[in-house]
Amino acid sequence: MSPAGERRSWWRDAVMYQIYPRSFQDANGDGVGDLPGIIQRLDYLRALGVDALWLSPIYPSPMRDFGYDVADYTAISPQFGTMDDFRALLAAAHARGLRLLLDLVMNHTSDQHPWFLESATSRENPKRDWYLWREGKPGRNGRPSPPNNWQSVIGGSAWQWDERTGQYYLHSFLKEQPDLNWRNPTVRAAMMDVIRYWLEMGVDGFRLDVANCFLKDETLRDNPRRVFGLRPYDRQRHLYELNQPENLDIMRQIRATVDAYTGRVTIGEIYALPPGDTALSAAYYVGGEGLHMAFDFAFLFSPWRADAFARAIDRWERALDPDHEPYLWPNFTLSNHDQPRAISRYATARGEETLARARVAAALLLTLRGTPFIYYGEEIGIRNGRIRRSRIQDPFGKPYWPIYKGRDGERTPMQWSAEPEGGFTTGAPWLPVNPDAARVNVAAQQDDPTSLLNWYRALIALRKREPALRAGSYRRVSVSGSRALCYLRETAGQRILVALNFARNAHTIALPDEGTWRVLLGSQQPEEKALEGGALTLPGYGIVIARAVS
Ligand code: TEU
């Protein structure tokens, strides 16, 4: 494949939309979102203008981690529907020009997966080596202790003792999520079959859960300690269970499997938290015939400062080196199902100001060089839910309460209308619908030209219309401390200027002095207004997207 041919592919031009299926639309009244519900909302998504949907896991699962504990990789959870529903969703999405990506959770399975159940029966079982079973070390009182000091993300040792066979197994996450042994070629082959199963059906690609965790140090060395951190997990440097060099080989194998089919895409979730250069970790997995894309989560942890965002963009741009062949491509994301929603991270005491920030954030996300990922509800300004302790569902939310309340807040139901339960369900929702649903909902924003929803639509439509916004280079013009960021997106024939004021007060920026600029979209300025060269004064939270008029 020629690098030039690689430069234009649908996923580089696409706007992606993440659906957390439990919370999107419930069609059968059981309080949990489902596939028929998603089908009902495809026209909404089409009108929003997004190009592809990524569904968080929909496979059969005991739901200990709400689907990130898979019990069968090639079936659909009855909670979400049937395989016929899935085929219907795929066809209905494709009929509307929407592509569909699945979430593949392949670092671990559920402890209820038949592979693990078999593996746990005896040390001699042929599937024993599909997981990471190890002898304990001799501990105090003759009791065995874990093979090394690795911690699970949720807390406590990553090793679970199994009484029946007298060994430990590794679980990087919950103990109900045993890690697979990716050094075993049979495991790899089984997973490639899973990938081909969905590709054959017509699925357009995959988001790969914790793609940098699959391989662990072969000799299980202890991680060195760090002094600071909330969880025991944070008080280690993860040298030996993350980012092992051989992990890239697996990504290459996945890429090769996917590339046997045309037009499919892979996006790796690279589990890397600041401090540390998250962009470099992510870039590693897209270089050298690795994945098509990887997430750099820098924006999820960025404070509300123009210079902090500018730095995150610079790091990502630098890590992905635009001159690299094959062409490496960034992506940007403000929110997902694991971190508090952006609008709430950036909220101030004033509702109007919070909304103004959400507009600036959206303009940034949708005018950068790189595929934008929108998290469901972001486009209408769903806030992070406040979940009472008794209603906490996320297992990650329990051990560190009240310092860390888990991830339910960012997973509350989509707010469709002012109807009961926000129009999400006719039953009792699995997580409470935010109390503001009567006011903040799709129906209320649909026909309001000043709504956040219509701002997202306008930005997405603009990105579609203007090649420079999709494919142009990124060049920073100026960054004024915490307050304002201005950049150019340029192709050979087109130059677009984006100026964003992150502050509540007006701010004046210097425009690149060549030519005149015509405003394409802006928060305050009327459209199509020409800007003089020289200086541009942005009102508080002002946004200008303008094209150079030659
Ligand atoms: O996330 C991995 C991960 O980084 C999170 O578990 C993170 O530690 C947590 O959100 C606290 O910040 C992926 C999935 O996105 C997540 O939903 C799953 O729970 C996890 O893997 C295990 O599959």
Side-chain angles (χ1 to χ4, degrees), residues 521-541:
L521 197 61
S523 53
Q524 321 274 332
Q525 280 81 359
E527 289 195 20
E528 301 296 307
K529 179 187 164 195
L531 302 173
E532 302 300 322
L536 166 66
T537 298
L538 293 170
Y541 299 114

Side-chain angles (χ1 to χ4, degrees), residues 65 68 108 153 207 209-210 269 271 337-339 407:
D65 192 15
Y68 286 90
H108 42 267
V153 170
R207 177 260 192 192
D209 193 58
V210 294
E269 183 207 20
Y271 179 45
H337 64 293
D338 288 335
Q339 301 298 334
R407 302 168 295 184

Side-chain angles (χ1 to χ4, degrees), residues 218-255:
E218 205 159 15
T219 58
L220 305 180
R221 277 170 280 186
D222 277 345
N223 280 323
R225 292 178 196 288
R226 281 180 51 204
V227 180
F228 299 109
L230 169 64
R231 304 167 293 184
Y233 182 85
D234 303 320
R235 295 194 291 271
Q236 286 190 355
R237 292 178 56 212
H238 301 284
L239 294 191
Y240 297 119
E241 83 293 39
L242 291 183
N243 297 319
Q244 299 307 293
E246 314 95 295
N247 205 65
L248 185 57
D249 294 338
I250 302 177
M251 299 306 129
R252 290 195 182 112
Q253 190 183 1
I254 293 174
R255 173 71 181 259

